[in-house]
């Protein structure tokens, strides 16, 4: 596994992993029983993309700087990349055009007051802001209550700020909280992979990937798959220590903030009339009630 985001090995491993998943039959190419590779050969990808084998081989070795968008599009079509994977390939190309190889520590973008006001106004939805490294950088009271296991985890940083990836892969209680823990881990690793394409020289991101790779065999397996996810929406099932089982829908919205850093507004809601809505409502009321009153003291 390449541990240096933005390096040629990242491009090589990504393209090779996408090539390996496509069979000649899927690509409409003739096949035989005497094949040494599980998917397409480099020369077959070259034919599908309309470029020379030498040229594609050079590209797969990481020489992507200066490659035109038209050629990248042709390679993306040949490899049957989805929208997120295509965007990731273009991000790798963009990043490779910058000469600096020295990782830098990006300054965190301060979340404006107006965003916090927006979060606080959502009284029946859990809402928080997540950066590309999966740090929770702002939240409303219901998000604090709903995600209490993350906020109370030993995996939080020195400021008490949760990191979703660190919690999922390093906190042994995470599988109890996330009912679909395997799916959560797969999506989280893929989100981090997308961030690597956008910010390959982010030192904090490199340190996070290195920490997770060192300490979590599950993360190492997910990282080696080279899956990419730019956005994550759907259904989340949680086993909350106080509210019990919750089945919530969640939506990710782009949140424009100064600079290139990616931030998403994540909103968890419950379907009206369901038991999960009632439990979420109780959780919201508990959050606004002193602990002594809740316990009857």
């Amino acid at each position: 596994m390449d541990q240096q985001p933005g390096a040629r090995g990242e491009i090589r491993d990504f393209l090779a992993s996408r090539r390996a998943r496509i069979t000649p039959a899927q690509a409409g190419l003739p096949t035989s029983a005497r094949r040494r590779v599980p998917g397409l050969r480099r020369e077959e990808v070259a034919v599908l993309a309309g470029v020379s084998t030498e040229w594609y081989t050079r590209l797969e070795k990481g020489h992507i700087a200066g490659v035109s968008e038209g050629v990248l599009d042709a390679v993306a079509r040949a490899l049957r990349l989805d929208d997120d994977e295509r965007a990731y390939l273009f991000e790798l190309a963009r990043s490779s055009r910058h000469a600096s190889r020295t990782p830098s520590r990006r300054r965190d973008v301060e979340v404006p007051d107006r965003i916090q006001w927006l979060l606080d106004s959502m009284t029946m939805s859990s809402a928080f802001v997540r950066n590309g490294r999966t740090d929770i950088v702002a939240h409303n009271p219901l998000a604090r209550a709903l995600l209490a296991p993350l906020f109370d985890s030993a995996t939080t940083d020195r400021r008490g700020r949760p990191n979703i990836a660190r919690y999922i892969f390093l906190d042994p209680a995470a599988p109890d909280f996330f009912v679909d823990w395997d799916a959560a881990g797969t999506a989280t690793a893929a989100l981090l992979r997308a961030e690597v394409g956008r910010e390959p020289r982010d030192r904090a991101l490199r340190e996070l990937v290195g920490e997770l790779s060192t300490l979590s065999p599950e993360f190492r397996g997910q990282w080696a798959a080279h899956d990419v996810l730019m956005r994550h929406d759907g259904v989340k099932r949680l086993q909350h220590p106080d509210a019990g089982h919750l089945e919530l829908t969640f939506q990710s919205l782009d949140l424009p903030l100064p600079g290139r850093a990616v931030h998403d507004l994540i909103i968890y809601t419950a379907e009206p009339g369901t038991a999960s809505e009632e439990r979420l409502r109780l959780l919201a009321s508990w959050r606004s009630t002193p602990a002594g009153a809740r316990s009857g003291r």
Side-chain angles (χ1 to χ4, degrees):
M1 179 188 64
D2 178 47
Q3 298 262 349
Q4 299 181 8
R8 290 178 179 174
E10 176 65 30
I11 300 166
R12 177 197 66 223
D13 293 345
F14 175 67
L15 291 177
S17 69
R18 303 306 93 169
R19 175 165 58 86
R21 69 181 181 179
I22 304 173
T23 66
Q26 290 172 330
L29 296 173
T31 185
S32 67
R34 303 178 64 182
R35 294 183 65 88
R36 297 181 180 179
V37 294
L40 296 179
R41 300 186 180 101
R42 286 175 176 172
E43 56 266 30
E44 291 170 330
V45 176
V47 168
L48 292 171
V51 300
S52 69
T53 300
E54 292 77 14
W55 190 95
Y56 178 75
T57 298
R58 179 175 171 79
L59 174 62
E60 193 172 290
K61 288 182 177 179
H63 300 280
I64 199 172
V67 177
S68 70
E69 290 190 2
V71 170
L72 288 178
D73 260 330
V75 170
R77 288 194 300 272
L79 293 174
R80 300 190 172 192
L81 303 186
D82 63 25
D83 290 343
D84 286 354
E85 292 168 334
R86 181 187 178 280
Y88 178 66
L89 179 62
F90 274 72
E91 288 286 4
L92 291 175
R94 179 196 60 78
S95 301
S96 68
R97 296 187 184 108
H98 300 279
S100 173
R101 295 174 177 268
T102 304
S104 59
R105 192 171 295 281
R106 280 187 298 164
R107 295 182 60 183
D108 287 337
V109 175
E110 292 296 325
V111 177
D113 289 343
R114 66 179 184 276
I115 300 300
Q116 188 61 57
W117 301 338
L118 171 66
L119 296 174
D120 291 340
S121 71
M122 300 181 188
T123 56
M124 273 307 299
S125 293
S126 164
F128 61 92
V129 177
R130 180 193 67 199
N131 65 18
R133 295 189 297 263
T134 74
D135 296 315
I136 296 179
V137 297
H139 59 276
N140 68 359
L142 185 51
R144 175 62 181 85
L146 178 67
L147 303 178
L150 279 74
F151 283 88
D152 298 337
S153 171
T155 61
T156 58
D157 64 15
R158 287 176 294 180
R159 298 160 57 181
R161 188 173 64 178
N163 177 276
I164 298 172
R166 190 176 282 115
Y167 174 78
I168 287 175
F169 289 105
L170 300 185
D171 193 313
D176 296 327
F177 181 58
F178 287 106
V179 176
D180 304 304
W181 178 78
D182 288 338
T186 298
T188 301
L191 288 168
L192 285 179
R193 177 67 72 178
E195 182 70 357
V196 163
R198 286 186 292 258
E199 301 293 343
R201 283 169 288 277
D202 180 352
R203 184 182 302 171
L205 176 60
R206 291 182 61 172
E207 291 172 353
L208 175 62
V209 171
E211 176 189 2
L212 296 176
S213 298
T214 300
L215 299 177
S216 171
E218 292 80 10
F219 179 80
R220 287 197 297 274
Q222 295 291 353
W223 195 249
H226 286 265
D227 291 334
V228 178
L229 192 61
M230 297 290 180
R231 182 185 301 282
H232 189 33
D233 306 313
V235 175
K236 189 76 70 176
R237 296 192 301 158
L238 306 175
Q239 187 63 37
H240 193 275
D242 295 321
H245 182 81
L246 294 162
E247 185 167 315
L248 307 172
T249 62
F250 67 100
Q251 182 71 40
S252 173
L253 305 173
D254 292 335
L255 187 63
L257 290 177
R260 277 186 41 83
V262 169
H263 289 80
D264 292 325
L265 172 61
I266 312 296
I267 304 171
Y268 284 68
T269 56
E271 181 180 350
T274 63
S276 290
E277 183 193 35
E278 180 61 26
R279 290 165 185 161
L280 195 63
R281 190 183 302 278
L282 286 172
L283 197 58
S285 67
W286 294 340
R287 184 62 186 171
S288 61
T289 303
R294 290 200 305 270
S295 62
R297 292 192 298 271

